[in-house]
Amino acid sequence: MLHALSRFGRRRTLQTGAVLAVVLGLLAWWLQPRGDEGDPSGSLTFSTGVPSGVYQRYGERLEGALAKDMPEVSIRLRTSEGSQQNLARVATGEADFTIATADAVATYLRDGRPGAQRLRGCVRLYDDYVQLVVPRDSDIHKASDLRGKRVGVGQQGSGVRLVADRLLTAAGLDPAEDITPVPVGIDTMPVRLTQGQLDAFFWSGGLPTAAVQELSQRFDIRLVPLEADLVAKLQAATGPTRFYRSAMMPADAYPQAQQGQSVPTVAVANLLVTTDRTDAAMTEAFTRTVINSRDRIGREVHAAQLVDLRTAIYTDPLDVHDGAKDYYRSVKP
């Protein structure tokens, strides 16, 4: 009898020990660091903008931060004409991430362009400010004064072209007939202005844009005010124009050009954009890096300082990507 009880006790002890070992093993697995498991890997293409624009300068610095945070991902930057071309690339799979203005996104969606319904937002970034630049001694003092002038309106695939055409229309001008439109980008417009090949040019970018800042330091320019009544006419067109708002360029954006004066203008938000094809882990990591690198990049690209976690999730007119949602949940107080 004692021998049987002894065998029973040993059996219970072994069973208990086995269960305890399994529990401890599961607990150890749960608590252990995940290491690189689940970290994004592979490659991605980031479509930026013209070489001297803010999109490209921001992209170059973001590339370094991404390389540090996602060491298993190969990152390729690809310059572009701007927002419209960027959206077409991402929507059709030629690029994985990009930056585009909200009005350009809304236009792409409204027009039902290829892949439009696959577009997703990751981060609301900084605002672009429309800058109408003229020589200081120019007789152009408002948008309607552009009649008959040679005007740089941005490349066909740019967000600048969208807003320039809309502003000209709001000012009572036909963008194709009442001016001589010159479809060039910020990489060549300043030189053309100094050489007398342009009377004015439109630019839409973060403040300050290096190309405009450098121009103001070697050539006397002014920024033409885009007053609230013009913006009201612009917004009256409805649809994508609802993303425009009246804003003031601070007096210190371009000190030489503004001479201590703030300038009324139009602003529109920039969005970090991807598609529903992009892996959730990759998107979460990309979003995290954009937010975490704000201050570091902002020391070199001032516009990056304006990325704000409190508003980053508002990517209207796009739904937020599931991976970006995962990031925002992870940092929610």
Side-chain angles (χ1 to χ4, degrees):
M1 182 69 175
L2 289 173
H3 183 63
L5 287 172
S6 177
R7 282 185 299 165
F8 178 75
R10 284 198 300 272
R11 214 164 35 241
R12 286 291 303 272
T13 299
L14 290 171
Q15 289 172 346
T16 301
V19 170
L20 184 60
V22 170
V23 170
L24 289 174
L26 287 170
L27 183 62
W29 173 83
W30 179 259
L31 293 176
Q32 72 179 350
R34 291 292 187 268
D36 293 332
E37 183 180 325
D39 286 354
S41 61
S43 62
L44 68 83
T45 298
F46 186 22
S47 188
T48 55
V50 293
S52 57
V54 178
Y55 286 3
Q56 175 65 13
R57 293 184 64 235
Y58 179 69
E60 289 170 349
R61 285 147 186 84
L62 185 60
E63 180 186 20
L66 291 168
K68 180 179 179 181
D69 293 347
M70 299 192 293
E72 301 302 316
V73 177
S74 174
I75 301 157
R76 175 194 176 205
L77 297 186
R78 189 177 175 191
T79 59
S80 77
E81 294 181 354
S83 289
Q84 296 186 78
Q85 186 174 51
N86 282 344
L87 290 167
R89 283 179 178 173
V90 169
T92 58
E94 291 183 41
D96 303 291
F97 292 90
T98 195
I99 304 173
T101 52
D103 63 315
V105 174
T107 301
Y108 198 93
L109 296 173
R110 182 200 63 188
D111 294 347
R113 299 284 302 281
Q117 297 308 312
R118 306 205 70 165
L119 293 173
R120 298 291 184 270
C122 302
V123 182
R124 176 180 171 142
L125 297 167
Y126 54 88
D127 286 352
D128 272 359
Y129 289 76
V130 179
Q131 300 155 52
L132 177 52
V133 181
V134 299
R136 185 169 295 166
D137 60 359
S138 169
D139 60 356
I140 299 168
H141 296 280
K142 55 185 182 298
S144 58
D145 292 339
L146 292 170
R147 186 182 299 275
K149 304 295 188 181
R150 299 161 299 170
V151 184
V153 292
Q155 295 163 292
Q156 191 61 44
S158 67
V160 181
R161 186 60 179 267
L162 278 180
V163 71
D165 284 354
R166 288 168 177 163
L167 278 166
L168 289 165
T169 301
L173 303 177
D174 184 325
E177 300 293 334
D178 292 333
I179 65 166
T180 300
V182 183
V184 293
I186 193 64
D187 51 339
T188 64
M189 288 192 287
V191 171
R192 289 173 182 258
L193 190 76
T194 62
Q195 294 178 348
Q197 298 171 15
L198 290 177
D199 300 303
F201 68 79
F202 282 99
W203 170 245
S204 179
L207 295 176
T209 295
V212 178
Q213 190 172 47
E214 291 164 7
L215 173 64
S216 72
Q217 292 167 351
R218 58 185 171 82
F219 187 76
D220 289 337
I221 60 171
R222 280 189 292 109
L223 296 171
V224 176
L226 302 173
E227 303 285 358
D229 59 339
L230 180 64
V231 181
K233 292 177 183 177
L234 179 67
Q235 293 170 327
T238 69
T241 62
R242 72 183 176 90
F243 291 98
Y244 301 128
R245 63 178 180 82
S246 291
M248 296 293 289
M249 274 189 280
D252 60 353
Y254 303 107
Q256 289 90 341
Q258 295 173 251
Q259 298 186 324
Q261 300 295 313
S262 57
V263 179
T265 189
V266 181
V268 61
N270 279 298
L271 307 178
L272 178 67
V273 179
T274 188
T275 68
D276 59 1
R277 289 185 296 263
T278 309
D279 175 71
M282 179 84 78
T283 305
E284 180 180 3
F286 200 114
T287 302
R288 186 180 304 277
T289 296
V290 167
I291 300 298
N292 289 347
S293 63
R294 181 193 70 173
D295 293 340
R296 184 167 64 254
I297 294 177
R299 286 193 285 270
E300 298 180 62
V301 183
H302 179 76
Q305 296 177 10
L306 304 177
V307 178
D308 189 336
L309 179 59
R310 295 169 296 181
T311 58
I313 197 171
Y314 298 112
T315 60
D316 186 33
L318 293 177
D319 291 336
V320 181
H321 191 285
D322 287 344
K325 288 180 183 176
D326 290 340
Y327 165 72
Y328 293 120
R329 289 191 194 101
S330 75
V331 295
K332 187 176 179 180

